Amino acid sequence: MKELVASGEISEERVKDATRRILRAKIRAGRIDNPNGPSAYVGVTSNIGSAAHRQLAREAVQKSLVILKNKKVLPLATNDKIFVTGSHANNTGLQCGAWTQGWQGTLEDVPGATSIQAGFDEVAKGTRVATAEEAGTIVYVIGEVPYAEWFGDYRGDDFNNKIITKKERTDMSFNSTDEYIAQIKEWQKAGHKVAVVFITGRPLPITSLINVADAFVVAWLPGSEGAGVADVLFGKVKPTGKLPHTWPKDAKQIPINVGDGKKGLYPYGFGLTY
């Protein structure tokens, strides 16, 4: 910063303006007169988790989902029998990600959150069945375990939640892709359509997994409002989400960005709708 000011690239007035904004926020919060006391905004916390906040969070889920693939599976029919399964189907800790129940998140449920499976029961009551054999369509909810910062370099779908070494993981591929693909093919062989809902904090090189699915939806980290996922899958809300980053074909393409000449599996801004 000192070098940029000295060179004239950043003006001294711009620095003063930023400083005024910081001080103004501290004054309004009561921090200048009472640095160690309660904030003037302490009463606002009573709104956290309110119905209005949850509705806004659900809308964020609806608008952020990105449909990468859809072979006449979505939207799901409310008269269909649907089996919702997978590691992330009924675990709100996994769908919330990191910086929730602690720095690296949790593998346990987050109190007060609605899982994707529970969201199905809320949005389309009576469609969900208990076994794959009863179903016409299977919604397979899988994804990464929570991570923050550099921990994400060594985690994928490792449910022991341990850090694996660089020697064990040398790229950003998904650890158990072959197992997921085998399961999907087994269901398809039995006559089921399979829609994968992928929980992740980033685009991962999982081309083989996407290719085998009948439909593939990136739900990112939907947080507490799993019903927002069901809203889109059942067509209660039209999908409008677009990729905020190019989706790589394989690990060798990473890093990949718009304008670098690399053609990813799906381009920046891609997203299907109904």
Side-chain angles (χ1 to χ4, degrees):
M1 177 68 76
K2 289 172 69 176
E3 290 174 1
L4 291 170
V5 172
S7 68
E9 191 165 341
I10 295 178
S11 70
E12 193 171 326
E13 182 52 42
R14 179 67 186 84
V15 177
K16 289 180 178 179
D17 176 65
T19 305
R20 286 189 200 99
R21 292 171 186 269
I22 293 168
L23 290 172
R24 189 179 297 125
K26 290 188 174 187
I27 290 167
R28 287 175 176 171
R31 286 296 179 219
I32 301 298
D33 297 326
N34 190 9
N36 300 314
S39 168
Y41 297 122
V42 69
V44 177
T45 58
S46 62
N47 293 325
I48 294 174
S50 66
H53 281 200
R54 289 186 179 278
Q55 181 55 42
L56 187 61
R58 184 167 174 171
E59 183 181 342
V61 175
Q62 297 164 353
K63 291 182 176 180
S64 62
L65 258 63
V66 180
I67 299 177
L68 295 183
K69 182 179 180 181
N70 186 17
K71 294 174 66 176
K72 299 182 179 179
V73 179
L74 304 173
L76 299 171
T78 53
N79 61 353
D80 192 5
K81 293 182 178 179
I82 299 164
F83 180 47
V84 182
T85 188
S87 54
H88 291 54
N90 199 31
N91 184 309
T92 53
L94 295 179
Q95 72 189 41
C96 282
W99 288 112
T100 48
Q101 301 288 96
W103 176 32
Q104 294 298 323
T106 178
L107 303 185
E108 308 298 327
D109 281 327
V110 173
T114 301
S115 71
I116 292 172
Q117 190 178 90
F120 268 70
D121 293 338
E122 178 183 332
V123 173
K125 188 176 181 180
T127 59
R128 192 169 64 84
V129 294
T131 65
E133 289 73 23
E134 303 171 71
T137 304
I138 294 172
V139 174
Y140 198 22
V141 190
I142 56 178
E144 297 189 280
V145 295
Y147 63 86
E149 302 172 33
W150 60 270
F151 279 67
D153 295 346
Y154 309 111
R155 283 187 182 159
D157 49 343
D158 176 10
F159 286 93
N160 292 318
N161 209 27
K162 64 183 179 182
I163 298 297
I164 61 179
T165 68
K166 281 188 176 182
K167 186 176 180 181
E168 290 173 302
R169 181 172 181 170
T170 58
D171 57 44
M172 299 307 297
S173 58
F174 199 48
N175 296 342
S176 304
T177 301
D178 291 343
E179 296 173 27
Y180 297 127
I181 290 173
Q183 178 64 82
I184 291 169
K185 286 183 175 179
E186 184 179 321
W187 283 326
Q188 290 170 332
K189 189 175 180 181
H192 306 291
K193 293 287 187 180
V194 181
V196 173
V197 175
F198 197 58
I199 307 299
T200 181
R202 54 197 166 178
L204 291 176
I206 50 171
T207 300
S208 56
L209 180 59
I210 295 173
N211 284 345
V212 76
D214 296 297
F216 197 93
V217 179
V218 184
W220 308 112
L221 296 169
S224 65
E225 305 309 305
V229 176
D231 288 331
V232 174
L233 297 189
F234 280 101
K236 304 288 185 182
V237 175
K238 184 179 179 180
T240 57
K242 306 297 179 185
L243 283 182
H245 193 284
T246 305
W247 198 283
K249 289 180 181 178
D250 54 50
K252 293 178 181 178
Q253 285 195 314
I254 298 173
I256 184 170
N257 292 286
V258 174
D260 62 8
K262 300 175 186 177
K263 186 178 180 181
L265 185 64
Y266 295 100
Y268 168 83
F270 181 85
L272 302 175
T273 189
Y274 306 146

